[in-house]
Amino acid sequence: MEEKADSALEQAQSPQLRRRLEQADLGAVPETRRALRELLRHWGRPGRSEIAELLTSELVTNALVHTDDDAVVTATVGPRALRVEVRDFVARRPRMRVPNADDGTHGRGLVLVQSLADAWGVRTHGVGKAVWFELDAGTA
């Protein structure tokens, strides 16, 4: 019981970005990247925030393009790691696709997340799902 209370208190005190994204508003992708960049200005070792921006862009784009609904992005900076979660309101789980050279840049989002994140997954909730990733700060 104490562990849950400590975790909730720690999360409440952690810097956080939370933004609702309107259906099919792809302009929200660069706006979210800028807000995340500001949040992570002094976070982690060099290069970690750029990876976080890339992975967040992929998850936000996937939610807006493949669900035809709104989404909510939440990024929480903890003492040792960053957690980004993109929640949408469609129960269909994302599929990992093998990128096809003839397909331009399509189909690479989850492959990038799997390759670059320290942890990632999909969590279902009452009216949809949340796709999340975590990155360690990588500080010595």
Side-chain angles (χ1 to χ4, degrees), residues 19-94:
R19 185 167 285 187
R20 183 161 189 109
L21 310 168
E22 300 295 322
Q23 174 184 355
D25 178 14
L26 294 179
V29 177
E31 291 169 11
T32 301
R33 281 182 77 123
R34 279 191 292 278
L36 185 65
R37 185 178 308 125
E38 182 61 28
L39 178 70
L40 300 179
R41 200 172 29 168
H42 302 292
W43 177 81
R45 74 173 188 254
R48 296 306 272 175
S49 61
E50 288 85 358
I51 292 170
E53 284 183 51
L54 172 65
L55 300 183
T56 301
S57 292
E58 294 297 334
L59 295 187
V60 167
T61 300
N62 283 353
L64 295 175
V65 169
H66 297 296
T67 66
D68 197 33
D69 206 334
D70 293 354
V72 176
V73 62
T74 306
T76 305
V77 180
R80 292 177 289 274
L82 166 73
R83 180 180 175 96
V84 175
E85 180 174 290
V86 179
R87 180 177 176 167
D88 64 51
F89 304 97
V90 175
R92 185 179 65 249
R93 295 176 65 89

Side-chain angles (χ1 to χ4, degrees), residues 105-127:
T105 59
H106 299 288
R108 290 174 168 73
L110 289 179
V111 172
L112 284 171
V113 172
Q114 182 181 38
S115 299
L116 297 173
D118 294 311
W120 79 281
V122 180
R123 179 177 52 82
T124 58
H125 56 83
V127 291

